[in-house]
Amino acid sequence: MGMKAARKTKLKTIGVLGGMGPEATAYFFGLVTRNTRVSRDQDHIPVVVCSLPQVPDRTEAILRGGPSPLPFLLRGVEALRRAGADFAVMPCITAHYFYPALAARSPLPVVNLLDETVSEVRGRHPGIKRIGLIATAGTVRSRVFHDAFEAAGIEVLVPDARAQKRIMSAIYGRRGIKAGATAGTPRNAILDVAAGLVRRGAGGIVAGCTEIPLVLGDEDLPVPLIEPMRVGALACIRRAGGEARRSVSRKTRPRPGGAGRRVRPAA
């Protein structure tokens, strides 16, 4: 579909159920904006963002029976509906543990980033048989990625217990990614974990947490970086009736401090 035809088509409104966390939500919105092919402001897709940082921690709910995020997610989707969204998407990967319950009660269709990610790997990287997962402990323990990928015949490799602790510290630590640190120790920890997965035979790395792409990019890896947020952004562009750019943009900010480091190929 060319731009002239696209302008004649009424675009649907994307509803972003965000705040988990806020920076990752802004990153997702940026992906939609930068990857939509336009020639003027009016060609962009309408987007409504509902940022709810007060949603209870997803990992705490999954691992330790903490407060359920579901009531907050349902409230957010209802707010998106009232604001005019035609469908919703959750950039937070860990929140997809609650996707079945949310989708069953949601007043809007909800894009599933897990399903979109598996389709992306099968379509663009059919040779990948083993994939490394960098995600929160809650996502790993929930096995939502395992179930999705193994159903497609792809083995999921996860970090060992020590490496998983480094991931959690990089994300949740006082000087971690959620606290705004995207250089130095958090980035180096994620690079080290990715290197270990590549050495074990991962043919691709899944950024299974919304914070991971904030410190890890294509240029850091000798294998494809599979970024569910980017995949989801492209899926939302298509679903809304827009046209994705041919050259897909992922980079949103510089990575100072350790930017020269990258994961080396397995020997």
Side-chain angles (χ1 to χ4, degrees), residues 20-155:
M20 305 170 279
E23 186 170 354
T25 302
Y27 177 75
F28 182 85
F29 177 72
L31 286 172
V32 172
T33 302
R34 279 183 292 276
N35 290 298
T36 304
R37 187 181 176 195
V38 300
S39 60
R40 57 178 184 163
D41 287 348
Q42 289 76 16
D43 296 327
H44 277 286
I45 297 168
V47 179
V48 176
V49 178
C50 179
S51 183
L52 286 175
Q54 288 70 38
V55 174
D57 187 85
R58 284 64 63 198
T59 297
E60 184 71 20
I62 295 169
L63 296 184
R64 288 173 283 277
S68 173
L70 184 60
F72 290 80
L73 300 178
L74 288 168
R75 190 179 87 192
V77 174
E78 175 58 26
L80 292 171
R81 184 194 67 80
R82 292 198 307 267
D86 292 295
F87 62 93
V89 59
M90 292 189 296
C92 179
I93 307 300
T94 309
H96 279 67
Y97 176 82
F98 305 94
Y99 178 90
L102 174 64
R105 297 171 59 184
S106 172
L108 296 174
V110 183
V111 174
N112 188 316
L113 297 195
L114 301 177
D115 292 344
E116 297 293 342
T117 300
V118 172
S119 296
E120 167 85 356
V121 172
R122 294 184 70 179
R124 297 191 62 186
H125 308 286
I128 292 180
K129 302 301 179 186
R130 307 175 86 190
I131 201 153
L133 175 62
I134 301 180
T136 64
T139 297
V140 172
R141 186 82 61 86
S142 73
R143 295 186 62 84
V144 289
F145 273 108
H146 292 74
D147 293 343
F149 275 107
E150 289 173 2
I154 300 172
E155 180 184 358

Side-chain angles (χ1 to χ4, degrees), residues 223-249:
V223 298
L225 174 65
I226 312 301
E227 187 182 337
M229 278 206 293
R230 184 190 68 87
V231 173
L234 295 177
C236 288
I237 291 169
R238 293 190 295 267
R239 184 164 186 154
E243 183 176 0
R245 293 182 184 273
R246 292 183 180 179
S247 179
V248 177
S249 171

